[in-house]
Amino acid sequence: MPLTRPARTTALVVLLLATAAACGDTGALRGAGATPTATSPARLWPNLSPASSPAYDFDEADTEIVKGITVPGDDIRKVDPIAVVRAEIAANPSDYDGARAPYRGTAEQIADCASGAYAGRCPVLKPYYRDLTGDAHDDLTLGFRLLPTKMTAVRVYTVEKHRLVRVMANDDAVSGVELAGRSVIIRSPSELAGYEYRVQWTWDADQKAMLLTHDEFLRTDGRKHGVRRATPAPTPTSVTSATP
């Protein structure tokens, strides 16, 4: 015999009450605990004269045309990454050439690099390609070891007017590199256990360069701790592999 409308309503209420009792939750609002009082920023030294120039040079908007390198068909994938590193070595002899050069080991071991081989004694790391500039064409993210130090050079190159242009340069001790959107994120170890430095370079269409947009000192578990040291580094999610 079918239930009448009042009978169906009563049965539904009984069912809901039974379900709530079984779950042990009446659905009432519960407090999340005390909330800290919001405080406005306190401005210090309002009479202090503002600085007119930066104290440190972070190489912001620093771009450079790579001399001696051609880009066949404006396709950056056709450029030999090892030749690009050799061009940088040739353009900066004080850094790479001679017994007192800080990165002399890179110049010495570049001879062990074969085209397309990024292993063994070759200081050049596997290149990665992704559109970081938003022009619908791949850009080149390149890394190579700065020997005999433990630092790694991270570079980003794009193609402008048929020329290879370096739009980012970062030299530091590196524990990880990521590409995210229009940004390159570089993580570096800290002397303080449980913390790391993290810098983020992001493409700026107005400057036509990668700008240093974030510079942080973080706990390695992801909790933010503070701002990075005042002195800069010597220079500065998933990615597309070198294989097309």
Side-chain angles (χ1 to χ4, degrees):
M1 176 179 177
L3 293 175
T4 63
R5 181 175 179 180
R8 287 199 300 268
T9 302
T10 302
L12 178 61
V13 171
V14 172
L15 177 62
L16 291 175
L17 290 175
T19 303
C23 295
D25 187 356
T26 62
L29 297 177
R30 290 179 293 179
T35 302
T37 303
T39 57
S40 60
R43 184 182 178 188
L44 307 184
W45 308 302
N47 298 325
L48 183 66
S49 298
S52 58
S53 60
Y56 303 102
D57 180 14
F58 283 91
D59 291 333
E60 293 177 345
D62 182 22
T63 63
E64 181 179 314
I65 297 173
V66 182
K67 297 180 179 179
I69 300 295
T70 59
V71 187
D74 287 346
D75 185 355
I76 203 166
R77 287 178 174 265
K78 295 181 179 179
V79 175
D80 183 1
I82 295 173
V84 175
V85 177
R86 286 195 174 107
E88 176 165 333
I89 292 173
N92 299 275
S94 61
D95 290 335
Y96 299 97
D97 188 17
R100 295 187 178 182
Y103 311 134
R104 58 193 177 276
T106 301
E108 293 169 355
Q109 293 186 202
I110 195 71
D112 296 315
C113 297
S115 180
Y118 309 99
R121 284 172 49 86
C122 178
V124 182
L125 307 177
K126 184 178 73 171
Y128 288 90
Y129 299 91
R130 175 184 281 193
D131 178 15
L132 295 173
T133 60
D135 63 356
H137 296 284
D138 282 337
D139 301 299
L140 168 63
T141 302
L142 183 60
F144 56 95
R145 295 187 296 273
L146 296 172
L147 304 171
T149 73
K150 295 183 179 180
M151 295 198 302
T152 301
V154 179
R155 306 284 188 261
V156 174
Y157 301 88
T158 191
V159 179
E160 292 182 5
K161 298 179 179 179
H162 316 298
R163 298 174 300 185
L164 186 69
V165 180
R166 190 186 72 195
V167 294
M168 192 211 84
N170 185 101
D171 296 343
D172 207 344
V174 172
S175 56
V177 181
E178 300 172 355
L179 301 182
R182 301 284 181 261
S183 299
V184 179
I185 302 169
I186 302 174
R187 295 185 292 109
S188 302
S190 166
E191 293 181 357
L192 187 61
Y195 293 83
E196 69 178 7
Y197 297 112
R198 187 176 70 181
V199 298
Q200 178 174 325
W201 294 82
T202 304
W203 172 254
D204 187 285
D206 293 330
Q207 299 297 327
K208 294 188 179 298
M210 305 286 288
L211 302 185
L212 182 61
T213 52
H214 292 81
D215 194 356
E216 301 173 299
F217 184 50
L218 307 172
R219 288 184 62 94
T220 52
D221 61 6
R223 286 183 291 171
K224 188 172 182 179
H225 181 70
V227 180
R228 189 177 179 173
R229 59 188 183 274
T231 52
T235 50
T237 284
S238 58
V239 293
T240 304
S241 68
T243 303

